[in-house]
């Protein structure tokens, strides 16, 4: 657990010395390789290290993106990078170099001697590594690093090949418990250490079933045991364990379950209506806060490592200079990309993390409607809007399915939908057991209705926009791709467009036999084990023509009829649902009118 915690922290970019030491170590390893035959245990270790590396590749890519960038870039690119790392906006005035002379002065950390004489091309030969090291400089570093990585990969592959060959020749022990063992296990509380070992072993078998499975055992037997062990070890309900397991390969599923055991790092978003990130960072550092930029994909996010002051009660916090916000929460707003002077609707806005970001990106121009169906939650929404100084915002309290009847014609709409929360288990462990099959029917149903309503509320003729962003903090396909695919089928006047997000995995275009529209690939998935952010999903639509169902296009009756047809089609209501009999209704209406007048002491017959 400790090592994973460490992995979840973003490290500072390496100094040249650190970088070189790392490369020296790699080089020595390669040299030693030719001098000794690799014993089998050693190979096992290498193979598992290689596998771990492969599994964590994405984490390394993102959580250490600055490091990798630092390693792989030329000196010139590096200095550019360090200059832009804390750039809060494209049109920021030039920073005074003195302002940056703190621990965020990455230029200082990367500061190394120039050697303009060095050739820029790769200059390595297999037989003279020492000489190569001496000649290491910023220009050839990338090629050198690449060569070493290739050699290391080759070495690990060779070790794996040999290991597989050896395993094939040796009889394999069955990692699944025997019937006798199962009987014994049934009477005792689970031995978690043994369960964990078995989880790792089963995953290994499933990853290379042909070579590692015991004779006569089926894949299903291994999967079933693994799911039981996951429930015992991590505390999931069998239903949810299976649902989440099915999203990944067995090894990646394990990574996901493990990542859910820890909360994501604390992150804050700079409120650019009040300050700049570099000023905020400086102020917080002066108070004993240890922080770093979240990553190159955001110019406003800061990750907090530790702090001597409560982050939710500093004077900067009270002055609205930042908001505590999960990094994944920035993504839908970045995808929405609101423009100055637009009319934007945040359909499910409380407590306002995204609303206030939208407002900041619009520099308090135009108008942001911040709606939430839950009146109690609008209190925190209003409080955040005030604290962060958003003056272009109107708060409303409707069931968002009523839009666009309430108001339509928006340039952009964000639907950060209510969801099952399977992406935020690290934060809310109760999700592991509280979610049932019913949730994955009812919640997607609401999400579909909300999304259609969002589509119908956007102005297809908007000069600057016409976009809808749909997001959830769930990784369940029913709440993500399936909802998006439904909307594409029901509203042919929208299409999916690129989210514009620099990170994220492609949405599924098929899942367990279900095929989705090929463009669903444009949507983006986020997982705690790959990007060290909460599990999240983002899709961006563009409305290319008015909907048949837009309020200004169809009368209320037509709309109701269309909604009814849809509900019938989806099996939400039955065809034999009672029709209204207007004649019969008339009698009751008249009777009720009479009663009301009598109660008021008036004569019903005397009133026309
Ligand atoms: C995921 S949260 C929104 C978080 C918010 N966007 C933020 O960034 O702070 C989902 C919200 O949807 C609201 N909600 C649920 N059903 C709704 C509906 N039918 N119409 C509008 N809002 C709804 C909930 O009250 C909840 O505040």
């Amino acid at each position: 657990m400790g090592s994973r915690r460490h992995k979840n922290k973003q490290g500072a970019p390496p100094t040249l010395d650190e970088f070189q030491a790392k490369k020296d170590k790699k080089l020595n390893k390669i040299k030693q390789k030719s001098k000794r035959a690799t014993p089998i245990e050693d190979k096992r270790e290498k193979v598992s290290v290689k596998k771990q590396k492969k599994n964590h590749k994405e984490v390394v890519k993102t959580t250490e993106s600055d490091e990798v960038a630092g390693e792989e870039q030329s000196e010139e690119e590096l200095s550019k990078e360090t200059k832009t790392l804390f750039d809060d906006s494209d049109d920021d005035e030039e920073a005074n170099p003195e302002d940056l002379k703190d621990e965020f002065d990455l230029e200082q950390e990367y500061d190394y001697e120039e050697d303009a004489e060095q050739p820029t091309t790769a200059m390595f030969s297999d037989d003279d590594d020492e000489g190569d090291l001496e000649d290491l400089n910023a220009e050839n570093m990338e090629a050198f690093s690449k060569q070493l990585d290739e050699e290391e990969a080759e070495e690990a592959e060779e070790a794996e090949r040999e290991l597989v060959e050896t395993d094939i020749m040796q009889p394999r022990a069955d990692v699944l418990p025997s019937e006798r063992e199962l009987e014994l296990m049934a009477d005792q509380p689970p031995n978690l250490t043994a369960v964990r070992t078995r989880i790792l072993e089963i995953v290994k078998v499933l990853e290379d079933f042909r070579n590692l499975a015991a004779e006569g055992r089926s894949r299903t037997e291994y999967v079933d045991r693994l799911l039981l062990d996951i429930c015992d070890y991590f505390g999931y309900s069998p239903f949810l364990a299976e649902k989440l397991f099915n999203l990944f390969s067995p090894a990646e599923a394990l990574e996901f379950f493990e990542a859910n055991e820890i909360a994501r790092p604390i992150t804050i978003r700079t409120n650019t209506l009040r300050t700049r990130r570099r000023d905020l960072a400086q102020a917080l550092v002066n108070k004993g806060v240890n922080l770093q930029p979240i990553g190159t994909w955001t110019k406003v996010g800061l990750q907090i490592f530790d702090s001597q002051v409560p982050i939710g009660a500093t004077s900067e916090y009270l002055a609205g200079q930042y908001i505590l916000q999960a990094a994944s929460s920035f993504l839908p707003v970045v995808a929405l990309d609101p423009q100055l002077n637009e009319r934007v609707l945040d359909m499910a806005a409380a407590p306002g993390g995204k609303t206030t970001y939208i407002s900041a990106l619009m520099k308090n121009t135009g108008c942001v409607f911040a709606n939430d169906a839950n009146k109690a939650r609008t209190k925190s929404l209003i409080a955040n809007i005030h604290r962060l100084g958003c003056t272009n915002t109107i708060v409303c309290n409707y069931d968002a399915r009523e839009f666009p009847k309430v108001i339509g014609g928006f340039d952009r709409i964000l639907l950060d939908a209510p969801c099952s929360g399977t992406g935020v288990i690290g934060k809310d462990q109760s999700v592991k057991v509280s979610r049932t099959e019913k949730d994955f029917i009812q919640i997607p149903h609401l999400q579909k209705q909300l999304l259609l309503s969002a589509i119908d509320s956007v102005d297809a003729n908007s000069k600057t926009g016409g976009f809808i962003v749909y997001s959830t903090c769930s990784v369940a396909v029913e709440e993500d791709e399936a909802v998006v695919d439904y909307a594409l089928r029901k509203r042919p006047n929208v299409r999916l467009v690129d989210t514009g997000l620099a990170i994220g995995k492609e949405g599924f275009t098929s899942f367990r036999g279900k095929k989705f529209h090929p463009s669903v690939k444009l949507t983006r998935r986020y997982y705690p084990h790959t990007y060290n952010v909460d599990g999240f999903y983002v899709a961006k639509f563009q409305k290319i023509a008015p909907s048949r169902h837009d309020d200004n296009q169809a009368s209320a009756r037509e709309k109701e009829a269309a909604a009814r047809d849809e509900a019938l089609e989806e099996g939400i209501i039955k065809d034999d649902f009672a029709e209204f009999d207007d004649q019969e209704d008339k009698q009751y209406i008249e009777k009720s009118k009479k009663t009301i007048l009598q109660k008021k002491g008036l004569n019903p017959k005397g009133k026309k």
Side-chain angles (χ1 to χ4, degrees):
M1 230 31 103
S3 65
R4 179 170 283 282
R5 268 181 206 287
H6 179 74
K7 245 177 257 159
N8 277 325
K9 290 191 170 189
Q10 293 185 344
T15 61
L16 182 68
D17 288 346
E18 286 166 23
F19 178 82
Q20 197 147 335
K22 210 167 121 190
K23 294 298 160 200
D24 285 354
K25 216 169 129 199
K26 272 189 185 179
L27 191 65
N28 284 337
K29 259 174 77 188
I30 294 167
K31 283 190 157 181
Q32 278 163 18
K33 183 190 100 180
S34 57
K35 290 188 192 144
R36 64 179 165 87
T38 318
I40 195 75
E41 272 316 308
D42 214 23
K43 280 175 188 158
R44 275 182 203 280
E45 203 176 288
K46 274 183 194 155
V47 172
S48 96
V49 167
K50 191 194 156 212
K51 281 192 173 158
Q52 275 176 20
K53 271 189 183 170
K54 198 174 141 213
N55 294 335
H56 283 289
K57 210 167 158 191
E58 293 287 359
V59 177
V60 173
K61 244 193 216 161
T62 54
T63 60
E64 295 177 8
S65 61
D66 294 344
E67 288 178 37
V68 176
E71 285 173 12
E72 292 187 351
Q73 283 168 333
S74 70
E75 185 180 355
E76 195 188 339
E77 283 169 324
L78 267 179
S79 67
K80 263 192 223 152
E81 176 90 356
T82 55
K83 277 193 197 110
T84 55
L85 206 51
F86 270 101
D87 264 0
D88 292 345
S89 69
D90 294 334
D91 53 1
D92 250 1
E93 64 249 89
E94 278 293 303
N96 175 0
E98 284 310 307
D99 290 344
L100 296 173
K101 292 258 184 281
D102 57 1
E103 70 173 273
F104 298 98
D105 189 348
L106 302 176
E107 230 162 314
Q108 282 179 352
E109 292 193 27
Y110 282 123
D111 195 18
Y112 49 84
E113 282 184 16
E114 271 186 31
D115 190 350
E117 300 297 297
Q118 294 297 334
T120 48
T121 47
M123 41 174 290
F124 308 108
S125 71
D126 287 334
D127 51 8
D128 192 8
D129 287 336
E130 287 297 346
D132 294 342
L133 247 197
E134 275 157 25
D135 292 334
L136 184 69
N137 61 34
E139 280 86 13
N140 62 28
M141 207 178 271
E142 185 183 345
F144 185 51
S145 167
K146 202 170 152 210
Q147 184 197 7
L148 290 171
D149 285 346
E150 280 170 8
E151 286 175 11
E152 198 175 59
E154 240 174 63
E155 189 192 32
E157 258 166 42
E158 190 191 318
E160 184 159 10
R161 254 197 319 274
E162 282 179 35
L163 182 60
V164 168
E165 280 162 19
T166 320
D167 270 3
I168 288 167
M169 286 173 340
Q170 284 169 4
R172 252 167 274 126
D174 191 359
V175 298
L176 294 179
S178 64
E179 275 185 23
R180 174 84 193 109
E181 283 168 329
L182 283 174
E183 275 167 29
L184 288 173
M185 278 159 63
D187 300 334
Q188 290 162 6
N191 170 349
L192 291 183
T193 314
V195 171
R196 169 143 188 96
T197 309
R198 192 167 52 230
I199 288 177
L200 293 172
E201 301 212 308
I202 296 178
V203 166
K204 225 157 114 188
V205 171
L206 289 172
E207 291 286 297
D208 187 9
F209 193 75
R210 201 159 58 94
N211 290 317
L212 301 181
E215 235 176 87
R217 292 286 200 182
S218 70
R219 182 172 267 274
T220 314
E221 281 176 280
Y222 283 97
V223 171
D224 288 349
R225 182 70 247 168
L226 179 58
L227 286 172
L228 288 173
D229 286 345
I230 284 170
C231 294
D232 278 346
Y233 191 75
F234 296 108
Y236 286 81
S237 69
F239 164 75
L240 198 66
E242 187 176 358
K243 177 170 286 302
L244 297 174
F245 179 81
N246 286 337
L247 291 170
F248 310 102
S249 73
E252 199 183 349
L254 183 56
E255 290 268 306
F256 173 77
F257 289 123
E258 280 185 337
N260 285 343
E261 292 307 291
I262 45 165
R264 308 274 70 79
I266 296 171
T267 49
I268 60 175
R269 176 177 57 78
T270 314
N271 178 20
T272 50
L273 291 174
R274 299 259 203 233
T275 187
R276 295 185 308 177
R277 182 170 68 170
R278 71 170 77 98
D279 298 335
L280 173 65
Q282 184 68 71
L284 292 177
V285 165
N286 291 345
K287 291 192 167 166
V289 182
N290 183 7
L291 44 75
Q292 274 274 307
I294 289 178
T296 47
W297 60 271
T298 167
K299 287 182 176 182
V300 290
L302 289 167
Q303 180 173 334
I304 310 292
F305 294 107
D306 54 71
S307 170
Q308 288 165 22
V309 286
I311 291 295
T314 63
S315 51
E316 288 75 15
Y317 175 85
L318 296 173
Q321 292 188 9
Y322 64 89
I323 183 167
L324 278 145
Q325 193 170 9
S328 54
S329 232
F330 299 10
L331 297 164
V333 181
V334 175
L336 188 70
D337 192 24
Q339 304 295 306
L340 300 188
N341 296 309
E342 283 188 334
R343 236 162 76 102
V344 176
L345 170 64
D346 187 353
M347 267 195 152
K354 297 180 189 76
T355 304
T356 51
Y357 191 11
I358 294 170
S359 189
L361 288 175
M362 291 169 67
K363 299 191 173 156
N364 262 340
T365 67
C367 189
V368 183
F369 287 75
N371 177 71
D372 202 282
N374 185 329
K375 199 167 184 180
R377 280 172 69 88
T378 56
K379 280 190 186 148
S380 52
L381 172 62
I382 293 166
N384 275 322
I385 286 170
H386 278 302
R387 189 174 61 81
L388 275 79
C390 305
T391 52
N392 61 344
T393 313
I394 294 170
V395 173
C396 38
N397 171 221
Y398 292 102
D399 181 330
R401 287 171 289 188
E402 290 182 33
F403 285 93
K405 239 188 300 177
V406 180
I407 185 167
F410 291 97
D411 294 304
R412 285 166 210 252
I413 295 185
L414 172 64
L415 171 56
D416 184 37
C419 70
S420 67
T422 57
V424 288
I425 294 173
K427 200 152 47 189
D428 180 5
Q429 299 280 316
S430 73
V431 172
K432 286 177 175 179
V433 286
S434 61
R435 290 302 177 194
T436 63
E437 199 162 4
K438 207 166 130 194
D439 290 323
F440 293 92
I441 296 169
Q442 283 178 346
I443 299 172
H445 175 58
L446 173 62
Q447 290 164 337
K448 285 172 186 170
Q449 290 181 317
L450 288 169
L451 182 52
L452 294 190
S453 186
I455 291 170
D456 297 343
S457 306
V458 157
D459 177 8
N461 299 315
S462 162
K463 296 248 176 332
T464 54
F467 295 101
I468 303 106
V469 167
Y470 172 76
S471 63
T472 71
C473 58
S474 172
V475 293
V477 175
E478 295 89 330
E479 298 177 75
D480 298 337
E481 286 88 345
V483 173
V484 165
D485 188 69
Y486 170 86
L488 290 174
R489 282 186 280 118
K490 294 291 168 197
R491 297 289 186 268
N493 56 325
V494 294
R495 63 170 178 214
L496 282 169
V497 293
D498 188 45
T499 58
L501 295 166
I503 58 168
K505 293 192 165 218
E506 285 176 2
F508 292 115
T509 49
S510 64
F511 185 75
R512 299 181 73 74
K514 261 199 179 147
K515 287 246 176 285
F516 302 126
H517 191 276
S519 63
V520 176
K521 201 175 169 178
L522 291 170
T523 65
R524 288 290 174 263
R525 297 192 141 249
Y526 301 87
Y527 302 120
H529 62 287
T530 49
Y531 300 105
N532 200 15
V533 296
D534 289 330
F536 222 80
Y537 178 77
V538 180
K540 183 171 183 175
F541 295 89
Q542 183 176 25
K543 187 165 171 181
I544 45 186
S547 298
R548 197 158 57 93
H549 312 268
D550 287 3
D551 227 28
N552 51 355
Q553 296 292 312
S555 71
R557 195 174 276 274
E558 278 171 340
K559 218 180 144 191
E560 200 180 304
R564 193 182 159 77
D565 287 348
E566 256 168 36
L568 269 171
E569 217 176 294
E570 291 294 309
I572 297 160
I573 56 168
K574 297 258 178 303
D575 213 4
D576 57 1
F577 192 77
E579 292 284 334
F580 291 108
D581 179 342
D582 287 350
Q583 264 325 101
E584 194 184 342
D585 285 354
K586 211 172 164 187
Q587 288 175 34
Y588 291 113
I589 293 166
E590 287 303 319
K591 201 172 162 196
S592 121
K593 274 184 186 165
K594 272 186 199 162
T595 318
I596 291 168
L597 288 170
Q598 275 165 351
K599 273 189 187 161
K600 285 184 181 168
L602 299 169
N603 179 5
K605 286 185 183 153
K607 180 102 180 147
K608 273 279 158 220

